[in-house]
Amino acid sequence: MRKQIAAANWKMNLTYKQAETLLDEILAAGLEPSPNQQVLFSVPFPYLIMANSEVAEETSYFIAAQNCSDKKSGAYTGEVSAEMLQSIGIKYCVIGHSERRDYFNESNQMLAEKVNLCLKHEIIPVFCCGEALSVREQETQNSFVQTQLEESLFHLSPEQIQNIIIAYEPIWAIGTGRTASTQQAQEMHHHLRSVLAGRYGQEVADNISILYGGSVKGANAIELFSSPDVDGGLVGGASLQATEFQQIIKALKK
Ligand code: PEP
């Protein structure tokens, strides 16, 4: 059975003290995710050590990186490799967030390299995809997002693809307060699962968690997550508020 996942994306926010307080508040609620639920916190690089302290005792909570290099190692000042993440016990890494694609020119090909390096180092990529508003207005979002998957993921074997989490994040809904409707999210998630089934077979496709991202909040999470192909969310703004994120965790399907 595929996992239902609430993934926080803190982006470049919070001092370390604020981050510790937020995590403490969320954990203090004592929510106990069921065996098929997981909670991820994608934190800034310096805070990854929380994996060895703050959440070390928790079984369903994991600290994730927000990015890693497409290079193995070497003279790339400022970069952080998948191998380094593995060496400090990190098991999840967000790959290809639209902010990275847009501001740091990350191409589908570069993201394929990052995915390969993550898998080589036993890190599960949370692979982000999603279209800009102009693509949605032309009604070409299905083929646009399909190409993102094909160019970054479809070289993987059936065993490898089942170690990927996909996050569909329409760019027009990220940080804008404008959420995709439940129907729009379900339609795209169903399309992505069909594309995965076409390449890898239905059984493999059914094992892959596909998260929705884009202005998810406590108030809309239950409805969004209730769709059959929506397996939780990747959450930016609302993940910075303990009570909001607790509501989002509670909204996951059991
Ligand atoms: C995100 O950053 O991945 C995101 C979905 O942000 P927000 O929830 O703020 O729209």
Side-chain angles (χ1 to χ4, degrees):
M1 200 190 336
R2 59 180 181 261
K3 298 265 186 234
Q4 304 297 309
I5 301 169
N9 178 15
W10 287 352
K11 312 192 188 192
M12 196 172 74
N13 291 300
L14 308 171
T15 63
Y16 190 61
K17 188 114 205 85
Q18 289 168 333
E20 275 185 318
T21 304
L22 177 59
L23 200 51
D24 285 349
E25 278 172 19
I26 293 167
L27 296 180
L31 302 175
E32 283 181 21
S34 63
N36 74 320
Q37 295 176 334
Q38 275 180 353
V39 182
L40 310 182
F41 295 94
S42 313
V43 306
F45 281 134
Y47 306 169
L48 288 171
I49 50 166
M50 287 175 151
N52 300 324
S53 52
E54 302 287 319
V55 302
E57 305 295 312
E58 307 285 341
T59 49
S60 308
Y61 292 79
F62 298 90
I63 297 295
Q66 296 178 8
N67 180 34
C68 72
S69 175
D70 61 319
K71 306 288 190 301
K72 195 174 163 300
S73 64
Y76 300 100
T77 303
E79 287 289 272
V80 173
S81 70
E83 187 177 20
M84 291 173 181
L85 297 177
Q86 182 186 32
S87 74
I88 58 163
I90 298 301
K91 296 194 162 47
Y92 295 86
C93 181
V94 175
I95 295 291
H97 191 281
S98 63
E99 288 152 16
R100 303 262 356 141
R101 291 175 185 264
D102 286 354
Y103 305 149
F104 302 95
N105 297 322
E106 296 193 353
S107 65
N108 291 340
Q109 289 68 27
M110 183 192 280
L111 298 176
E113 296 301 326
K114 295 189 182 203
V115 165
N116 291 344
L117 286 165
C118 282
L119 293 178
K120 181 172 176 212
H121 293 288
E122 297 176 349
I123 293 168
I124 295 183
V126 180
F127 178 80
C128 301
C129 56
E131 80 286 356
L133 185 57
S134 56
V135 174
R136 172 72 52 173
E137 283 170 348
Q138 287 162 15
E139 298 180 5
T140 52
Q141 67 273 10
N142 283 6
S143 60
F144 182 89
V145 180
Q146 179 168 345
T147 302
Q148 290 182 319
L149 257 56
E150 287 171 351
E151 293 189 357
S152 299
L153 300 181
F154 276 19
H155 61 287
L156 300 175
S157 70
E159 290 70 33
Q160 287 176 315
I161 194 87
Q162 290 177 88
N163 282 322
I164 304 279
I165 297 166
I166 292 174
Y168 167 61
E169 300 205 302
I171 298 170
W172 45 271
I174 298 179
T176 58
R178 181 179 166 190
T179 317
S181 68
T182 310
Q183 188 189 343
Q184 284 172 321
Q186 169 56 24
E187 270 170 16
M188 177 59 85
H189 284 227
H190 181 70
H191 170 64
L192 294 180
R193 205 175 302 285
S194 310
V195 168
L196 288 163
R199 168 72 177 84
Y200 293 102
Q202 193 64 50
E203 202 182 323
V204 170
D206 284 341
N207 280 335
I208 299 173
S209 301
I210 307 179
L211 317 186
Y212 167 78
S215 299
V216 176
K217 296 183 180 40
N220 60 23
I222 290 185
E223 196 185 329
L224 281 164
F225 298 174
S226 66
S227 298
D229 288 297
V230 177
D231 307 311
L234 178 55
V235 186
S239 74
L240 297 169
Q241 294 165 39
T243 48
E244 280 287 317
F245 196 58
Q246 282 160 3
Q247 270 182 275
I248 290 167
I249 297 171
K250 285 189 208 156
L252 290 172
K253 283 198 278 285
K254 293 266 181 274

